[in-house]
Amino acid sequence: MTERSAVRQAMGNFGAWCLSKLDEPLHRMLGPRKRALFADLPSRVLEIGPGLGANFRYYPAGTHVLALEPSPFMHEGLRRTADEFELELEILPSFAERLELPDESVDAVVGTLVLCSVRSPEQVMAQVLRVLTPGGRFYFLEHVAGRAGTLRRGVQHALAPPWRVMFDGCEPNRDTRAVIEATGFSEVDVEDYIAESVYYPINSQIVGRATK
């Protein structure tokens, strides 16, 4: 193994470990909203960036999940979580910016706490819109930039450079709501809220559904 490969593996394993430690706190913080958000999911969904499968506990048993997860360090955990919650899992090891799925091929796409760290959220959302069937829905829960002129927005800007390094490219000041609304959906139903947690820079969040 080369030195670069060893570093990559160590970082990948560390990222998976961090997600495992955040699972229960995020479940307590976001669980009620996720249960309500996913109440009407169809039996087959595409989830972008599922990590270790934090959303799987909210899916009905038997759901067929197409898991778009580019990190191989997450795949073993994804399989364990899918088995635990009796889901049918199909892992797609590619990036969301280039979804290798046919046009209008899925009825539902799920993305939670993922658009903050993709390279191009605009490109990802264009792909989401492309693969959704007419009337299909994008289910989202994301942290977003605080309102302009607020203390939270100032803190997000100040912490953005070290935050990106510490949290694998996460952008605490990304205006994800504007990106979703500009994608071209026929309808976007979105709720703004402030999460109650110690993670102050990412407590300004949105949850909702966007319909093609």
Side-chain angles (χ1 to χ4, degrees), residues 87-187:
L87 306 177
E88 296 180 15
L89 179 67
E90 183 178 345
I91 296 177
L92 307 176
S94 59
F95 291 92
E97 286 88 349
R98 52 176 189 272
L99 278 173
E100 297 179 1
L101 291 172
D103 294 356
E104 301 183 355
S105 58
V106 292
D107 293 325
V109 179
V110 170
T112 65
L113 303 181
V114 65
L115 292 176
C116 58
S117 58
V118 298
R119 294 184 180 91
S120 172
E122 293 84 2
Q123 190 173 344
V124 170
M125 291 310 304
Q127 288 291 299
V128 167
L129 190 65
R130 178 183 67 80
V131 301
L132 277 172
T133 57
R137 286 177 167 178
F138 174 53
Y139 297 74
F140 58 89
L141 186 154
E142 297 285 346
H143 68 80
V144 296
R147 288 178 298 175
T150 62
L151 173 62
R152 190 181 307 277
R153 184 71 167 264
V155 171
Q156 289 171 333
H157 280 312
L159 290 181
W163 194 273
R164 282 193 294 269
V165 174
M166 290 187 297
F167 296 101
D168 196 25
C170 174
E171 300 278 359
N173 56 347
R174 181 171 281 178
D175 192 357
T176 299
R177 176 172 182 161
V179 173
I180 294 173
E181 291 180 332
T183 298
F185 291 102
S186 65
E187 181 181 358

